[in-house]
Amino acid sequence: MSSLLEFTPGPNPLGAQWLSALVAFIPIVCMLVTLGALRWKAHIAGAVSWALAFVVAILAFNMPVTMAVSSSLQGFVYGLFPIVWILLMAIWMYQVTVISGRFEDLRNTFFLISDDPRVLGLLIAFCFGGLLEALAGFGAPVAIAAAMLVAVGFSPIRAALIALLANTVPVAFGAVGLPVIQAAAVGGFENVLSISPTTGRLTAILCLVVPFLLLAVMDGKKGVKECWPFGLVVGVTFGIVKWIVSATPLFNLTELIAAVVSVAVAIAFTRVWKPKGDAEIVARIGRPVDPELETATTKTEAADTSNLTGSKIFMALVPYLLVIVVFGVAAIDAVKNFLKLGDVKFAWPGLSEMMDTAGKASSHQNYTFQWASTPGILLALVAILTALIYKVSMKDAFKELWVNVVKMKFAMLTIGAVVALAYVMGDSGQTFALGKFISGAGVIYPFLAPVLGWIGTYVTGSDTSANILFSGLQSSVGQEIGGGTATLTVESMRQLLVGSNAAGGVVGKMISPQSLAIASSAIGLAGSESAILRRIIAWSFVLLFLLCLLAGLMSTPVLSWLISPMLG
């Protein structure tokens, strides 16, 4: 009978907010410890962490067993479709280029821009990755950029680290602005331009830091010392464009415009500036980060561009030109709405009486099968078109698809388990309990506001989901602590906190188990998630600290001028 009872998740079922939050934190700690410290396989760590979240939901948060089971199943299904579907199609698209024999032409084409792979690494991961995030999101930028970096000569795990670290700055305005659009809607703002400038400025400042961290990951101190002018040009250009565009009606195209302008400026800069490197760069970037995992030899010899013709260059770039064209067309409202006509929506069994934290019908009561309106179908189209253009038989192309399905079986389990964990934590109130506890910090809360976005994105793998989870809470806290003796008015404080939530999520993305599984699959080293996490988690904390400091100072006279007047 419990399945027939209405269930509304509460933030404090144990009577003490600190205790409720502590218990809710157990699954997150489990994932970090088992994956990072104990080095468990990701699919096992994900399954165990989900099991703990499931038990906590039932015993501590009073969620009916049938609802907990049903919520978990919906999360697992969502993990497979669309998330795994998008990842699989992105990798398939890339692998079609490999079996076609165009792989080497692609690699050599990159070196026409610069003979320094560190310069190419920034262009691919930071600029082109930003473009893919703007158009697609859902992990496709990490998958495609990581594979391309391996093609340039980076060792697999190094490529994964670079792709994940670069996939921070553009996330808040990814998928044509969806995260900030949801943040504004859930936060109670009628106009997205009420918060998009705040998010844009916070992440624009990160643009001054991330390129240098990428150079350090690529080639240590030598990378920073020898390529800092290029990193500065790329970072400043990307940041300035973000700062400007995010405060205009074109906010949803922020990353698209920033990426295109940055690529153009960066390529122009390479015509007048050459990095000071040595002959050992290619060998260094191809050196294994983890010799136990990276047993295959990475291609490290210098590129040969002597036999490249205009036709070969164009053909090598065909898949990525198709990505830009296909996703650009799909972003047009009329096309987007047409693709949505294929969505199949139905009531999810067992969740008809489940409410959200506001006491309204939970969005998870229904499930939408988005077979045509997510990037997966578009990437599949690009893969098929690429095969036709490259004259790869459909038999060979689909054989390669099946090979990748087999390779990704554990990644599929990982992503399914992690999204199931996110669903049961969110639906039972565990995630909300964490948010309520942190929001009790009072006047110092603005210094902690980005942490909620970070936690939400770490758990769900999506900045959009993190904004849906916490923007309402952030807005409420702003209502309580704004005005009076505070530097900011109530409305400006709401604007800051909701915008900070969206910004905080971008640095949680890189360590999300979902993102780690995508990266490990893209580099062909399934099971390397723990090795990647151990090497990237420190950067996530560094960038989170920077965002917290900036957000906190924006609530004081020091940086309050960064918050633009409310527009609605």
Side-chain angles (χ1 to χ4, degrees):
M1 292 294 291
S2 61
S3 62
L4 300 177
L5 298 177
E6 183 178 289
F7 172 70
T8 302
N12 185 22
L14 300 180
Q17 193 62 65
W18 68 267
L19 182 59
S20 296
L22 182 65
V23 172
F25 201 53
I26 290 173
I28 296 177
V29 172
C30 177
M31 178 63 81
L32 287 171
V33 172
T34 55
L35 194 58
L38 300 182
R39 307 186 184 186
W40 288 10
K41 296 295 185 182
H43 61 282
I44 298 175
V48 171
S49 300
W50 162 79
L52 283 174
F54 181 82
V55 171
V56 169
I58 296 168
L59 298 183
F61 283 77
N62 306 313
M63 189 179 197
V65 175
T66 50
M67 278 190 187
V69 171
S70 190
S71 172
S72 299
L73 286 174
Q74 185 181 138
F76 191 87
V77 170
Y78 188 83
L80 296 182
F81 200 101
I83 297 171
V84 168
W85 159 245
I86 293 167
L87 169 61
L88 182 61
M89 293 303 102
I91 294 175
W92 182 38
M93 181 205 78
Y94 181 79
Q95 287 301 120
V96 168
T97 70
V98 175
I99 63 174
S100 72
R102 301 278 180 178
F103 183 88
E104 197 60 28
D105 285 344
L106 174 67
R107 177 175 182 269
N108 293 336
T109 297
F110 288 134
F111 281 91
L112 284 177
I113 300 173
S114 173
D115 58 4
D116 193 309
R118 300 166 299 186
V119 169
L120 300 179
L122 276 180
L123 278 173
I124 292 169
F126 193 75
C127 299
F128 185 63
L131 178 65
L132 291 175
E133 182 65 37
L135 295 171
F138 286 94
V142 171
I144 295 174
M148 292 174 73
L149 290 166
V150 173
V152 171
F154 288 92
S155 63
I157 289 184
R158 197 184 309 276
L161 294 172
I162 295 166
L164 287 167
L165 182 54
N167 191 227
T168 50
V169 168
V171 167
F173 292 87
V176 202
L178 184 60
V180 290
I181 291 172
Q182 289 297 327
V186 177
F189 295 99
E190 295 181 5
N191 193 332
V192 183
L193 288 174
S194 297
I195 67 157
S196 63
T198 300
T199 303
R201 290 167 187 181
L202 282 167
T203 52
I205 294 172
L206 288 187
C207 292
L208 303 179
V209 178
V210 172
F212 297 101
L213 297 184
L214 289 169
L215 290 172
V217 172
M218 291 178 198
D219 195 25
K221 292 180 180 178
K222 283 183 177 289
V224 177
K225 183 179 179 181
E226 295 170 358
C227 295
W228 70 264
F230 187 77
L232 184 63
V233 166
V234 169
V236 168
T237 303
F238 209 104
I240 288 175
V241 176
K242 277 178 68 73
W243 188 292
I244 295 171
V245 180
S246 63
T248 73
L250 294 176
F251 71 91
N252 60 319
L253 300 179
T254 294
E255 307 306 339
L256 178 66
I257 297 172
V260 171
V261 173
S262 296
V263 168
V265 171
I267 292 177
F269 185 64
T270 61
R271 305 302 90 169
V272 298
W273 169 87
K274 301 295 180 185
K276 296 177 181 179
D278 54 52
E280 298 300 315
I281 296 173
V282 177
R284 286 200 303 270
I285 67 164
R287 190 175 298 137
V289 174
D290 191 324
E292 292 183 10
L293 291 172
E294 297 171 287
T295 54
T297 303
T298 302
K299 190 178 185 67
T300 58
E301 65 264 22
D304 178 13
T305 60
S306 60
N307 65 345
L308 283 178
T309 63
S311 176
K312 280 189 173 183
I313 292 171
F314 176 77
M315 291 298 285
L317 295 175
V318 157
Y320 306 101
L321 295 174
L322 284 173
V323 166
I324 294 171
V325 172
V326 169
F327 278 92
V329 171
I332 298 171
D333 285 340
V335 178
K336 188 190 304 182
N337 293 334
F338 175 75
L339 293 174
K340 286 182 179 179
L341 293 177
D343 291 354
V344 180
K345 186 175 182 179
F346 57 90
W348 189 268
L351 299 182
S352 60
E353 299 301 319
M354 188 171 74
M355 305 294 116
D356 62 18
T357 54
K360 300 177 182 178
S362 171
S363 61
H364 290 168
Q365 287 188 9
N366 298 298
Y367 184 80
T368 303
F369 182 62
Q370 301 170 301
W371 69 273
S373 61
T374 59
I377 195 73
L378 302 178
L379 288 167
L381 175 61
V382 171
I384 292 171
L385 288 175
T386 300
L388 292 173
I389 293 170
Y390 283 173
K391 297 181 179 178
V392 174
S393 70
M394 286 297 104
K395 178 182 178 182
D396 288 341
F398 280 94
K399 179 181 177 182
E400 187 64 25
L401 174 59
W402 177 249
V403 167
N404 283 286
V405 169
V406 174
K407 284 182 180 178
M408 288 179 56
K409 57 183 180 292
F410 291 119
M412 293 179 186
L413 291 174
T414 299
I415 293 171
V418 168
V419 181
L421 176 150
Y423 269 52
V424 79
M425 283 190 68
D427 289 341
S428 66
Q430 293 174 64
T431 311
F432 193 55
L434 287 167
K436 284 292 285 185
F437 175 69
I438 296 172
S439 69
V443 291
I444 67 166
Y445 177 72
F447 286 92
L448 301 175
V451 175
L452 282 190
W454 182 87
I455 290 174
T457 305
Y458 169 77
V459 172
T460 65
S462 165
D463 193 27
T464 301
S465 297
N467 291 335
I468 292 172
L469 277 172
F470 289 131
S471 290
L473 175 62
Q474 298 274 22
S475 181
S476 297
V477 175
Q479 193 82 30
E480 293 175 13
I481 66 175
T485 58
T487 300
L488 299 180
T489 64
V490 169
E491 292 305 301
S492 292
M493 184 66 80
R494 291 176 61 228
Q495 178 186 10
L496 170 62
L497 299 187
V498 175
S500 296
N501 194 84
V506 309
V507 295
K509 180 91 169 178
M510 72 172 88
I511 61 167
S512 165
Q514 180 180 305
S515 296
L516 296 175
I518 289 170
S520 66
S521 297
I523 60 175
L525 290 178
S528 61
E529 292 90 347
S530 62
I532 297 171
L533 175 62
R534 293 196 305 276
R535 290 171 173 84
I536 202 169
I537 192 169
W539 296 125
S540 181
F541 286 134
V542 167
L543 294 174
L544 177 62
F545 174 79
L546 176 59
L547 280 176
C548 287
L549 182 61
L550 289 170
L553 291 176
M554 285 169 70
S555 71
T556 72
V558 178
L559 291 180
S560 59
W561 54 273
L562 287 178
I563 302 177
S564 58
M566 295 292 293
L567 299 176

